[in-house]
Amino acid sequence: MELKKDSHAVSIDMLLIVHSEKQADPGAQPQRRAGLQSIGNGIRKWQKLEENDLYGNLAEKQLPQHSQVITSYDNQGTHLTVEVHPQDSMPQLLKRFSLAKRLQGDKNGNTRPRQPGGKDAHAYPWDRSSLKSMSLDLRQFEKLDTYASQVTVKSGLDELVNDLLQEAHSDLERVRAIWIWICHHIEYDIKAAQEKDRQAFKLTDILRTQKTNCDGYAGLFEKMCRIAGVQCMTVPGYSKGFGYQTGQSFSGEFDHAWNAVYLEGRWHLVDSTWGSGLVDTTTSKFTFLYNEFYFLTHPALFIEDHFPDNKNWQLLKPPQSLRQFENNMYHKSEFYNKGMLSAHPETSVIRTVNGKATITMESCAPTLFMFMLNGKQEHGLLSLRKNGMKLDIYPPTMGTHKLQIFAKGNSDIYSSVLEYTLKCNYVDLGVRLPAELHQPMGPSWFSEQMGILKPSHPDPIIHTSDGRCSITFSVEEGINVLASLHGDDDLITEETQRRYIFQLHREKRTELKVQLPRAGKFALKIFVKKRQEPGNYIFVFNYLLCCSNTKVTWPMFPESFGNWGQDNELLEPLSGVLPANRNVPFKLKLHGVAKALVKGQDTWPLTLNSEGYWEGSCSTAGCQEVYVMVLENANHNFYSYILKYKVNDQ
C-alpha cells in the first residue's frame, strides 16, 4: 500500500508492523540495528548504518531502546521495512512520514529512487557518439572543478556538502562538485580493502582519515548526493580493476561498488574510486591521478570493466551476460581517453597463425603508438595509419606471451591502452627482426609532420636482390636529415653505421644510397633536426631492409666530413675502399668552391666541366688513404677535407 501524510511525505511501497506478544524486558540489552542488503548471488553483506538510513529510516540513536528496524532489498530494488516495537508504543516509522527535508527524493516527494527502465537504456555496442551518457561540455565545469577541489572539511558531512554547493546551480553541477571533491580528497585505502575492514565504510572515519575502499567511496558519494537532494544508488558488482588478469572468470562475492545518479530524467553511472587515481601493481601504492572517464560514462563503455549485480543497472539494451563480460575484450579507460575507437581482434587471447599475429587499432585522430612484447620493444612491425595503426607481431618462442600496446594521444606520455595474451605454437625461424628496429615502421603522417614528404618507398619493408637500394623523399626547408644502418652482428659498429649510407641532395629531394655489407635484415633509421635549433636529432621512423642474396658483400661509402655540403653530389667513386695501384676516376658536383683536388701519394687537381661537375683521376699507388679537398675562397690557400677513402692493401 502507499501512505502519504502531506505534500512532503515519504512514499512507502509497503509497511509491515509486527506487534510482539509480550512486552520486552525493560532491562534487556537492546539489539543493534543494521541493514541487510542482498547483493544478488546468495551472499549477504551487513552494512553498519549511521545517522539517516540511505532510504529514510531512523538512525539508531533516534530509536527507542525497545525498537528494531530491519530493511531488506532484492535484486530488482524492491525493499521491505519491518519494525518490531512494544505493543502500546507508536511505531517510529509512522512518525517519520512528514519529516526530513533531506529525505525528499524527487519533486514528487518519493525517497525511494526509481528503478532503471527502458528510457534509461543505451544501445549496445557503443555507437561512438560520445564517451558520456549525456551531452557535456567539460569546459563549463572549469570554474566549478577548481572551486570544488579546494573545499576543505570543516566539521561534518552536511556542512561540507553545503560548502560544495555554493557554486553549483543545477543537479548536474551538484553531482559534479561532489564527484570532484571525492576524487581529489579521498585516498584508496589498500590495507582496508585487503582486510575488508568494515570500519572503512563509516562516513565519519572517511572524513577524518580521508581514506576508504570502494564501498566507502560509493557510500560517501551516495550520501553526499542525497544531502544535495539528488537521487543516487550504490551498485555492487564485479570489476576488471586492480589485480585483474586477462581472461579470468568471476564468481562469489562481488569485489567492487560504484554509483548510479539520476539526472535530467535518466540514470547515469559514475565510479569515484577509479576516478580518483590508481594503484601501482608492483608497489601496491595508491597515487592520486584524476580520471575523467568514469564520470557519467557511457554504459556501453562502462560495461567493459563493471558488471553490476542487477542487470538493469547496466543501463544497456540488450544487457550483457556475465559470460560475455568475462570474454569481451577489456579496453582500459586510457583506450578511450587517448581517442581510440576500436581494436581487432576483439578477443583478449590471440593464437598466432604461422608464427604471426596481426593487431589493428582505429583512433579518432592521428596518434603515436608503441608496443612491448614480454616487456621489450622487439619482434614486431608497427606502422602508423592516418587514424590508427597496424602491428604484426612475431613471438620468438612457442608458448604464452604478454603483448601491451601504448598510445600517446595529445599528451607527451605513452599510456597502456590494451593488453593481449598471445598463444604461439609455431615459430617462423626465417623471420628474425633486428633488435634495433624501433617503432614506428615506414613513412606516415608523423614523418610528414616532421618534414619528410613524398617518399619513394611508402611501404615499411624494402626487398633488394643485390644488396643496394636508393630511397628518395622531399624535405621541408630548414630540416636536416640523418640516417643510420643497424644489424645484429659485428659488421656494423657504432662508428660505421652511417658509412653504408650516402646522402645526396638533388633539386628539392634527398636521396639515401644504401649498400648492405651482407645478406640479412637491417634497420634503416631516419632522424631529423631543425637547422636553427640546438639539441639532438629526433628519430622519426625506420625501414626494414631485406636481402637474401648470400653473395652480397658491399663495402662502406667514403667517410664525409662537416664541410661536405647538403647539396653536394657524388657520382664516383661510391665505394669507400679503393683498389691499390689503380688510376681511379672522380666525378662530383660541389657548390660554392673555387678549387678542388684529390690527395693521395701525390696531388691531382679536379677541373670543372660545362655541366657543373668537378672531374679528374687519382692514382692509388703508394698510399693507404685518399682525400678529396676543396678551396672555398680563391683568395685563401687553406683547403678543407670533405671526403676520405681507404685503399686496399697491396
Side-chain angles (χ1 to χ4, degrees):
M1 67 178 176
E2 184 177 16
L3 301 178
K4 289 188 177 181
K5 189 75 173 178
D6 54 33
S7 60
H8 299 291
V10 175
S11 175
I12 297 181
D13 291 310
M14 181 173 71
L15 174 68
L16 176 63
I17 302 174
V18 181
H19 299 275
S20 59
E21 290 294 328
K22 182 170 68 173
Q23 185 168 340
D25 183 0
Q29 184 71 23
Q31 299 184 25
R32 184 164 182 80
R33 167 181 169 269
L36 179 63
Q37 182 180 4
S38 167
I39 54 176
N41 63 344
I43 298 175
R44 293 176 180 266
K45 178 168 61 178
W46 286 89
Q47 287 185 316
K48 297 178 181 178
L49 304 176
E50 59 180 338
E51 299 175 354
N52 292 327
D53 179 280
L54 296 180
Y55 296 95
N57 300 321
L58 281 175
E60 179 180 4
K61 61 185 180 182
Q62 295 172 307
L63 283 173
Q65 290 188 346
H66 309 299
S67 294
Q68 182 181 21
V69 175
I70 300 175
T71 303
S72 178
Y73 309 90
D74 69 6
N75 284 351
Q76 278 66 44
T78 304
H79 67 282
L80 174 68
T81 300
V82 178
E83 179 183 334
V84 181
H85 63 91
Q87 184 173 9
D88 297 328
S89 64
M90 171 67 73
Q92 297 299 313
L93 289 172
L94 292 178
K95 295 180 180 180
R96 297 286 289 171
F97 284 166
S98 60
L99 292 178
K101 179 178 181 181
R102 284 187 196 137
L103 293 182
Q104 295 175 13
D106 57 27
K107 60 184 179 182
N108 297 318
N110 297 317
T111 59
R112 174 175 172 261
R114 178 183 68 75
Q115 290 298 296
K119 72 175 185 177
D120 299 292
H122 294 254
Y124 185 89
W126 183 46
D127 60 6
R128 301 186 177 185
S129 59
S130 173
L131 301 183
K132 303 295 187 182
S133 54
M134 64 188 298
S135 179
L136 288 182
D137 180 358
L138 295 179
R139 291 173 297 183
Q140 75 183 78
F141 296 131
E142 290 178 356
K143 180 179 177 181
L144 178 62
D145 290 355
T146 301
Y147 170 78
S149 65
Q150 296 174 352
V151 172
T152 58
V153 178
K154 297 176 182 176
S155 57
L157 194 59
D158 295 76
E159 185 178 359
L160 172 61
V161 174
N162 289 335
D163 289 343
L164 286 172
L165 300 189
Q166 294 302 310
E167 296 294 331
H169 308 293
S170 65
D171 281 354
L172 173 60
E173 291 186 351
R174 294 181 186 99
V175 170
R176 179 71 179 188
I178 293 168
W179 155 269
I180 288 293
W181 188 87
I182 291 178
C183 288
H184 287 80
H185 290 83
I186 304 302
E187 178 181 348
Y188 188 76
D189 192 334
I190 300 171
K191 182 179 179 181
Q194 293 173 339
E195 297 176 355
K196 297 184 179 180
D197 181 7
R198 297 341 238 186
Q199 294 299 316
F201 294 166
K202 296 184 66 175
L203 302 185
T204 53
D205 289 338
I206 295 174
L207 288 187
R208 177 178 56 81
T209 64
Q210 296 202 351
K211 297 174 68 173
T212 187
N213 56 15
C214 59
D215 297 86
Y217 275 99
L220 178 63
F221 187 88
E222 179 175 352
K223 182 66 176 179
M224 293 176 73
C225 283
R226 289 182 174 277
I227 292 175
V230 179
Q231 292 190 33
C232 183
M233 294 279 285
T234 294
V235 182
Y238 295 124
S239 69
K240 295 179 180 179
F242 178 66
Y244 168 74
Q245 298 295 321
T246 301
Q248 81 173 59
S249 57
F250 295 87
S251 62
E253 186 174 0
F254 294 113
D255 61 6
H256 194 45
W258 55 93
N259 295 100
V261 63
Y262 195 72
L263 295 170
E264 299 183 8
R266 201 175 191 182
W267 284 105
H268 304 270
L269 301 170
V270 299
D271 187 341
S272 56
T273 308
W274 291 6
S276 63
L278 50 83
V279 176
D280 189 316
T281 55
T282 56
T283 64
S284 294
K285 291 184 178 181
F286 174 83
T287 301
F288 277 107
L289 186 64
Y290 177 71
N291 193 341
E292 174 63 38
F293 180 76
Y294 291 105
F295 178 72
L296 308 184
T297 314
H298 194 293
L301 305 181
F302 204 77
I303 191 62
E304 293 199 15
D305 46 20
H306 292 73
F307 188 84
D309 68 329
N310 182 340
K311 67 179 182 181
N312 291 338
W313 285 116
Q314 294 181 25
L315 306 183
L316 289 177
K317 186 177 181 180
Q320 301 294 288
S321 67
L322 180 58
R323 178 63 60 87
Q324 288 174 307
F325 174 73
E326 292 171 343
N327 294 336
N328 283 348
M329 185 66 201
Y330 171 39
H331 301 110
K332 300 182 178 182
S333 62
E334 284 299 284
F335 181 90
Y336 298 105
N337 287 338
K338 296 292 186 179
M340 303 301 107
L341 296 174
S342 65
H344 296 278
E346 294 181 340
T347 175
S348 57
V349 179
I350 305 175
R351 297 188 180 276
T352 60
V353 177
N354 297 325
K356 171 186 172 182
T358 299
I359 295 93
T360 60
M361 293 181 65
E362 182 184 0
S363 57
C364 60
T367 303
L368 290 175
F369 294 88
M370 61 171 282
F371 75 91
M372 295 187 77
L373 182 67
N374 302 324
K376 296 182 179 180
Q377 297 183 52
E378 297 179 357
H379 310 295
L381 304 176
L382 188 152
S383 55
L384 299 176
R385 296 177 172 179
K386 183 177 181 180
N387 289 318
M389 70 90 180
K390 177 184 176 184
L391 171 62
D392 291 327
I393 202 81
Y394 302 89
T397 60
M398 292 189 292
T400 301
H401 303 266
K402 180 180 179 181
L403 174 64
Q404 297 170 283
I405 299 177
F406 303 81
K408 198 170 186 180
N410 294 325
S411 69
D412 293 330
I413 301 173
Y414 282 92
S415 298
S416 175
V417 296
L418 210 55
E419 289 186 8
Y420 285 99
T421 297
L422 301 186
K423 302 285 187 178
C424 180
N425 56 10
Y426 170 78
V427 175
D428 187 349
L429 297 179
V431 180
R432 184 186 176 191
L433 302 177
E436 288 291 323
L437 191 70
H438 293 165
Q439 315 305 319
M441 290 289 301
S444 66
W445 62 267
F446 179 64
S447 55
E448 289 185 2
Q449 188 179 90
M450 299 301 290
I452 297 178
L453 312 171
K454 300 178 181 179
S456 59
H457 294 69
D459 295 328
I461 302 177
I462 299 175
H463 294 273
T464 169
S465 58
D466 64 355
R468 296 184 296 180
C469 66
S470 175
I471 302 165
T472 65
F473 43 78
S474 299
V475 179
E476 287 185 353
E477 187 68 28
I479 298 293
N480 285 341
V481 177
L482 185 69
S484 59
L485 189 70
H486 303 263
D488 281 340
D489 54 30
D490 295 332
L491 286 178
I492 302 178
T493 65
E494 186 174 351
E495 291 76 21
T496 64
Q497 61 191 15
R498 290 198 293 273
R499 295 285 305 281
Y500 290 94
I501 306 162
F502 201 81
Q503 189 168 324
L504 303 172
H505 297 270
R506 293 177 178 169
E507 295 181 347
K508 293 185 178 179
R509 290 184 69 80
T510 293
E511 179 182 7
L512 300 177
K513 289 182 177 292
V514 183
Q515 296 181 165
L516 301 181
R518 58 166 177 80
K521 294 182 175 66
F522 298 85
L524 176 63
K525 294 186 176 183
I526 312 294
F527 303 82
V528 300
K529 177 183 177 297
K530 290 185 178 180
R531 293 175 191 167
Q532 304 301 324
E533 293 185 2
N536 299 324
Y537 279 80
I538 300 171
F539 170 72
V540 180
F541 70 95
N542 43 212
Y543 285 105
L544 176 64
L545 307 185
C546 305
C547 178
S548 58
N549 186 349
T550 57
K551 296 181 180 180
V552 167
T553 55
W554 289 107
M556 293 180 289
F557 287 103
E559 182 179 357
S560 60
F561 297 100
N563 286 338
W564 175 262
Q566 284 280 334
D567 297 325
N568 290 346
E569 183 179 348
L570 174 66
L571 273 67
E572 59 178 347
L574 289 175
S575 173
V577 181
L578 303 179
N581 301 315
R582 294 282 183 90
N583 211 34
V584 179
F586 281 77
K587 187 175 182 180
L588 310 89
K589 180 171 281 189
L590 306 172
H591 297 275
V593 301
K595 292 182 181 181
L597 58 84
V598 179
K599 185 179 184 302
Q601 181 74 15
D602 297 310
T603 300
W604 289 267
L606 300 178
T607 58
L608 183 64
N609 66 19
S610 59
E611 296 177 345
Y613 290 94
W614 292 87
E615 291 182 301
S617 62
C618 164
S619 173
T620 59
C623 60
Q624 294 180 331
E625 295 175 339
V626 172
Y627 295 89
V628 177
M629 307 173 66
V630 297
L631 182 67
E632 296 179 352
N633 192 324
N635 296 322
H636 296 164
N637 294 321
F638 179 76
Y639 280 80
S640 302
Y641 292 91
I642 60 172
L643 293 176
K644 175 183 177 181
Y645 293 84
K646 287 193 174 183
V647 178
N648 267 334
D649 294 336
Q650 297 182 10

